Amino acid sequence: MVKRFRSIGIALPAIILVFTASVCAGQNAAPAVSEGAAHVLAVSTLTASARQLSGMRFDRERAPHPKGFYWFEVTANVPGDESPLLGYFAVNKRTGDVWDSAQCRRLTSSAIRHFHEQLLQSGTISAEELHRLGRVAPCQP
Amino acid sequence: MPKLHGRCACIFARSFLAFSLLTCPAICHAGVVCPTPIAITSITPSPWQAGETINVTISGTNISCGGTFLTVQAAQGTMTVSNVVLVSTSEITATVSISADAPTEQACLSLQLGQDGPNQPADGDAEMDEADDAAASSTCTSTYQYGAAMAVQIIGDQNKACSVQPATSFMQDNTADASSLASELGVPTYYVLAMAGDESQYGTSNIAVGAHNYFGLHAGAPGSIGPWPQNPIVAAFPSEDGFMASGQSFVQLASPLLKGLGSPIDPKSFFTAMHKKWGIGTPNYIRKMVQSAKMAQIRMNCP
């Protein structure tokens, strides 16, 4: 599946809608995090300049990976001959935690923290589960 | 020959996560001030493996003078230094025991000679932040008046690092090609392997598998065979030798970024240069890639 965001100007206003939709969906069935929300959360970990790039797209990884995560690679239109590859990500379908899957490091952002608060407030997940599941690495460093 | 006071062997903390300084008690008697600069020319064996006890020989010049004392520095808490023997003015031997859980890092082994205790660090040295600390560790520059230093690579927890797949196989399978590319750039092989590993998800990404592009190269990159149809912003390379073909393209693009860096190029300088073209989306790119390079160095040498 490929999704495009022409600019962060479109993506950012969508965050609230995506959060709300995904949290509500999570009350009835797993995963609590929609694929669209996973993309937004991953983008939130990029540099500010990268978030401004146009033509951002999210390609699901075809290689086999552990379940329970969305795995995708992010590219965008970049100036000149810079690398269009912005990163490889694994996003936890239950908690929204974002991992740099190349280095196997958990990433943080204010958007992820806000998303966690929403998950807790909606009762989608307990604080204990969020803490425990959020630290389950999808990979080995 | 000056007598080396055994209690003068003490340990400094200099890790990537924290910087602290534990000074050696000034227990050695005063002596003459060393008149000439000292230097370390080699430390053998190197690298040091976590969990081992190693008999180390430190060679150098002017590493003693009458009545002075000597200090051996290493990463605090992960190793102990004992049996320090001043063999001659050009050789010291010591026994180093490294704990099994020692991290992978560049320790800084240094010798200090002085009259009244350890020489004081240069201004500002004790206030380094984490990034500067990493840089200092990788270059291991002596900041002491009568001292010399040399970096020693600590290989930590190698078994764990080597068991991680596909990272280890990727590094080992591509070491020969990466070595050729690295020699064109004038950098260690593991710098190139780290770039390729991170840009291709160790060869498993769609871009690596589909476009044979292992270095995250933009469409139009030198030597490419055109845009990758599945994602036209990405360059495609011939399927039969994708690593080397995309690697040659990487070399062409990276070489101009390295001009003026001198030799040897330390990891921080290399990845600072690479950041201009490859780090646009990644916060803390330089620190991240320096760590990737350390892991690549371990994995390319796994048994």
Side-chain angles (χ1 to χ4, degrees):
Chain A
M1 178 183 174
V2 176
K3 288 203 172 185
R4 294 171 186 269
F5 285 96
R6 290 192 177 185
S7 74
I8 198 68
I10 297 173
L12 278 178
I15 290 176
I16 301 301
L17 292 174
V18 172
F19 280 157
T20 305
S22 59
V23 168
C24 291
Q27 289 175 335
N28 298 318
V33 182
S34 70
E35 189 161 0
H39 294 168
V40 174
L41 293 171
V43 169
S44 75
T45 68
L46 296 173
T47 59
S49 58
R51 293 198 299 268
Q52 303 294 328
L53 293 169
S54 63
M56 197 174 289
R57 55 182 277 171
F58 305 79
D59 291 275
R60 281 188 186 177
E61 294 232 340
R62 299 195 188 101
H65 289 295
K67 294 181 178 177
F69 293 82
Y70 297 108
W71 294 80
F72 48 87
E73 45 200 61
V74 182
T75 54
N77 295 328
V78 292
D81 56 3
E82 293 177 9
S83 173
L85 178 63
L86 302 184
Y88 298 103
F89 298 97
V91 179
N92 190 310
K93 293 180 177 179
R94 296 282 309 281
T95 68
D97 283 290
V98 179
W99 293 76
D100 169 346
S101 55
Q103 265 212 335
C104 202
R105 289 160 57 121
R106 194 159 63 103
L107 306 171
T108 59
S109 72
S110 58
I112 294 170
R113 288 189 289 273
H114 182 63
F115 186 72
H116 285 165
E117 288 170 8
Q118 296 229 5
L119 288 177
L120 292 171
Q121 286 172 7
S122 66
T124 305
I125 194 169
S126 70
E128 185 278 326
E129 277 184 309
L130 182 63
H131 180 81
R132 177 172 51 83
L133 295 175
R135 279 150 186 76
V136 175
C139 42
Q140 289 180 281
Chain B
M1 178 177 291
K3 182 180 180 182
L4 178 68
H5 202 302
R7 291 173 64 194
C8 283
C10 71
I11 296 172
F12 265 61
R14 183 170 283 203
S15 72
F16 291 107
L17 298 178
F19 179 82
S20 61
L21 195 63
L22 303 178
T23 55
C24 180
I27 54 173
C28 300
H29 62 79
V32 300
V33 174
C34 296
T36 54
I38 70 171
I40 298 174
T41 54
S42 70
I43 301 169
T44 54
S46 179
W48 295 350
Q49 172 69 55
E52 292 187 352
T53 296
I54 306 166
N55 292 320
V56 177
T57 299
I58 304 159
S59 299
T61 55
N62 302 318
I63 54 179
S64 74
C65 61
T68 60
F69 73 95
L70 178 148
T71 301
V72 178
Q73 302 175 358
Q76 188 194 26
T78 59
M79 60 190 69
T80 58
V81 181
S82 60
N83 302 325
V84 182
V85 176
L86 185 58
V87 178
S88 70
T89 58
S90 63
E91 184 176 307
I92 291 172
T93 59
T95 302
V96 179
S97 296
I98 309 165
S99 65
D101 60 349
T104 295
E105 66 172 331
Q106 292 247 323
C108 186
L109 188 151
S110 68
L111 306 175
Q112 291 182 62
L113 307 172
Q115 190 172 16
D116 298 318
N119 296 297
Q120 294 304 305
D123 287 346
D125 187 58
E127 298 298 328
M128 291 188 295
D129 64 14
E130 183 182 339
D132 289 340
D133 187 23
S137 296
S138 63
T139 55
C140 198
T141 302
S142 174
T143 58
Y144 298 90
Q145 186 177 5
Y146 302 113
M150 180 174 280
V152 183
Q153 179 68 31
I154 308 297
I155 299 177
D157 211 357
Q158 187 181 28
N159 290 338
K160 184 179 176 184
C162 291
S163 69
V164 175
Q165 296 295 358
T168 299
S169 293
F170 177 80
M171 299 301 175
Q172 298 195 320
D173 291 348
N174 293 296
T175 293
D177 284 348
S179 175
S180 173
L181 299 169
S183 66
E184 293 186 50
L185 290 171
V187 299
T189 301
Y190 57 91
Y191 292 9
V192 174
L193 286 171
M195 285 294 297
D198 269 51
E199 293 293 331
S200 72
Q201 188 93 298
Y202 306 113
T204 67
S205 72
N206 298 349
I207 294 171
V209 173
H212 317 294
N213 179 342
Y214 291 79
F215 290 86
L217 299 168
H218 197 289
S224 63
I225 56 174
W228 184 37
Q230 279 72 22
N231 188 350
I233 195 73
V234 172
F237 289 86
S239 59
E240 59 269 20
D241 195 14
F243 185 93
M244 198 59 180
S246 59
Q248 290 286 1
S249 185
F250 165 71
V251 168
Q252 284 194 50
L253 292 167
S255 291
L257 304 175
L258 301 178
K259 285 183 178 174
L261 291 185
S263 181
I265 299 173
D266 64 83
K268 186 178 181 184
S269 297
F270 178 79
F271 291 111
T272 298
M274 297 300 104
H275 179 263
K276 294 168 185 168
K277 287 189 187 293
W278 282 272
I280 187 170
T282 310
N284 304 313
Y285 174 82
I286 298 162
R287 193 178 306 173
K288 169 189 162 178
M289 291 308 300
V290 168
Q291 179 61 28
S292 286
K294 289 178 188 170
M295 297 306 290
Q297 186 182 23
I298 293 171
R299 287 175 171 141
M300 66 182 276
N301 292 309
C302 287

